[in-house]
Amino acid sequence: METRELRYFVAVAEELNFGRAARRLGMAQPPLSRAIAQLERRLGTVLLERDSHGVALTGAGHVLLREGRTVLAAVAAAEARTRRAGQAPGLALAAKAGASTELLAALLDAYAAGLDPVPVDLRLCRFGEQERLLREGAVDAALLHLPFDSTDGLDSEELHTEGRVALLPAGHPLAARPSLRLAELAALPDLPAPRFPRRDGSYPEGPGPEIRDSTQLTELVALGRMHAVLPDSARSQLRPGVAVVPVPDAPPVTTVLAWDPAARSRPLAELVRAANVALGGPNGAAGHGG
């Protein structure tokens, strides 16, 4: 299969309408229909059921949609990494704005003190963006936070593991407690949990507000619109009107430096060395596949 055919099929499979898919692709509908029919003949299976009610994916179509998205994303990432490799030496690092600030500063200082450092293009991201940028090839490495992000298919170096705390409005009755449990927080009808974006940018259903960045999050907590359970390092960003209470039963958060396993640039290797040697990692362990 050609990537052109995959793009055609994915457009039709996502739109479930040949006309809309053709407009999205900037082409006429007849050649698009012929291309999909040719693809089905070549694969020897029906991908789309067509009738007077519209278009529906077959079982084989669902498989090709999933695999096709993966292939097209890999091709786009390969193009981006190739362009970056042909540019002047540099290193692009993505990190969530306001998260792991001290850890990020220590990593950058350690890298700058190493052998032949190059300029670091620091991309400060909203929630969930740094993993996407890394997988798309837009950056060389990213600071990810487990279990919120995923290192599947990536190499990574663990930097720091920490507990989690609840952020509450300063005047809330529970703000004076020495600790809280997740069940107690979930039972607060007046303070729902925030809704963070999924990896595709969509938000789950729920009563809490949709959150884009840490500034918005702390503002809404201070205004009494929600509570939040964050890594303990969030204490460093607190503003007046927000109280912090430890949540011992919340799963810990591990910050990792992640990168594409196929990357071979010397600046990236030096960044990983700085993370492993200067920051130590867990017991000074070497990087590992995620």
Side-chain angles (χ1 to χ4, degrees):
M1 289 183 292
E2 300 177 0
T3 55
R4 172 182 58 84
E5 293 176 311
L6 281 177
R7 280 194 292 269
Y8 288 178
F9 172 75
V10 168
V12 175
E14 290 180 344
E15 298 290 344
L16 292 178
N17 182 285
F18 276 86
R20 289 196 301 268
R23 288 192 293 273
R24 168 173 155 181
L25 293 164
M27 63 186 298
Q29 183 174 333
L32 175 59
S33 299
R34 289 194 296 271
I36 297 299
Q38 181 179 355
L39 178 61
E40 289 178 317
R41 287 194 298 271
R42 186 180 304 131
L43 292 175
T45 187
V46 176
L47 301 171
L48 299 164
E49 296 284 0
R50 309 155 177 85
D51 58 30
S52 58
H53 300 291
V55 177
L57 285 169
T58 64
H62 279 289
V63 171
L64 187 58
L65 175 59
R66 182 181 68 247
E67 299 293 340
R69 283 169 169 165
T70 300
V71 170
L72 293 177
V75 169
E79 292 176 352
R81 293 188 184 106
T82 301
R83 291 192 195 98
R84 288 183 50 74
Q87 297 171 354
L91 186 66
L93 173 64
K96 186 165 64 179
S100 305
T101 303
E102 294 182 4
L103 190 62
L104 176 59
L107 174 61
L108 294 175
D109 288 346
Y111 175 72
L115 299 174
D116 300 322
V118 299
V120 176
D121 177 12
L122 182 60
R123 311 278 183 89
L124 294 179
C125 305
R126 292 181 173 183
F127 288 107
E129 286 184 336
Q130 68 272 30
E131 181 187 343
R132 176 179 58 78
L133 290 177
L134 177 59
R135 294 188 184 280
E136 290 177 352
V139 297
D140 301 293
L143 288 185
L144 303 183
H145 306 280
L146 312 180
F148 310 116
D149 300 311
S150 170
T151 56
D152 289 346
L154 302 172
D155 278 354
S156 62
E157 177 71 32
E158 291 187 9
L159 303 181
H160 179 63
T161 297
E162 58 188 312
R164 293 164 73 183
V165 295
L167 272 57
L168 297 169
H172 194 276
L174 295 183
R177 291 272 297 274
S179 66
L180 290 168
R181 300 184 64 81
L182 287 173
E184 294 176 292
L185 293 165
L188 294 175
D190 57 332
L191 290 179
R195 289 184 291 144
F196 295 103
R198 301 186 182 100
R199 293 188 181 96
D200 63 1
S202 65
Y203 286 85
E205 296 295 324
E210 297 179 356
I211 299 300
R212 298 180 301 275
D213 54 52
S214 57
T215 300
Q216 178 202 20
L217 184 149
T218 54
E219 182 76 13
L220 289 174
V221 171
L223 291 172
R225 304 297 298 274
M226 67 177 198
H227 78 273
V229 179
L230 300 180
D232 188 77
S233 56
R235 295 174 184 268
S236 64
Q237 312 163 43
L238 293 187
R239 46 152 290 169
V242 176
V244 177
V245 181
V247 185
D249 68 334
V253 176
T254 298
T255 300
V256 304
L257 177 67
W259 63 94
D260 181 78
R264 294 291 182 270
S265 78
R266 179 173 177 177
L268 176 59
E270 284 299 310
L271 183 69
V272 175
R273 182 203 60 80
N276 187 38
V277 176
L279 298 177
N283 302 316
H288 60 280

